[in-house]
Amino acid sequence: MAIAMAQARVAGQAGEVPVGAVIVRGGEVIASAHNLTETDRDPTAHAEILAIRAAAAKLGDTRLVDCDLYVTLEPCAMCAAAISHARLRRVMFGAYDPKGGAVEHGPKWFQQPTCLHRPEVLGGMNEMEAGQLLKDFFAERR
């Protein structure tokens, strides 16, 4: 999660919403990313999506079955669907997102009968630090 937090800080410094993600397999970092939606002018350039793309390219496979995702914010519906399609084994996230989250809030994607794959989920890792990073980012913009 420390690497994901570092990625989130890089995003915030670049004016992006400070979210970072890391994909790990067997203790090895396979991919890491941070939000690039503003930089890339791409609404799908969330940290989770970018990390999944990089991990799939590095491993040469669309299924990341032995991989775990660490992300600083509860994934949205788009990212939760991508996580499911990538068949990630575990998802560990930091701050909960009552407004835009889709794992513990909103559609609760992994609990839907149409969900292809349900990863193990652990929320609240470094919750205070991840949440404060987001609060500080948005406070500066208001």
Side-chain angles (χ1 to χ4, degrees):
M1 188 58 93
I3 297 169
M5 289 300 302
Q7 285 287 322
R9 285 186 201 90
V10 170
Q13 291 167 355
E16 298 280 355
V17 174
V19 177
V22 177
I23 295 180
V24 176
R25 182 175 74 172
E28 176 190 354
V29 173
I30 303 299
S32 63
H34 56 78
N35 277 2
L36 287 173
T37 57
E38 299 300 324
T39 302
D40 290 355
R41 303 287 187 249
D42 179 357
T44 69
H46 289 199
E48 301 96 320
I49 300 289
L50 298 174
I52 288 169
R53 288 176 184 162
K58 182 173 183 175
L59 298 175
D61 199 343
T62 59
R63 296 184 182 209
L64 307 175
V65 295
D66 295 329
C67 297
D68 301 329
L69 171 71
Y70 293 82
V71 61
T72 59
L73 181 65
E74 177 182 352
C76 70
M78 174 182 69
C79 293
I83 289 163
S84 178
H85 281 273
R87 311 299 201 274
L88 285 158
R89 179 176 56 184
R90 287 187 199 100
V91 175
M92 281 77 59
F93 67 86
Y96 290 87
D97 186 357
K99 184 177 179 183
V103 176
E104 300 290 335
H105 296 90
K108 298 183 181 179
W109 183 258
F110 301 131
Q111 297 175 26
Q112 297 303 315
T114 54
C115 181
L116 297 173
H117 168 76
R118 292 169 179 80
E120 180 183 333
V121 175
L122 175 64
M125 290 186 69
N126 292 59
E127 178 181 5
M128 300 302 285
E129 182 183 5
Q132 193 61 52
L133 189 60
L134 288 157
K135 286 177 190 172
D136 292 347
F137 176 83
F138 287 111
E140 290 176 11
R141 278 147 184 76
R142 290 190 176 114

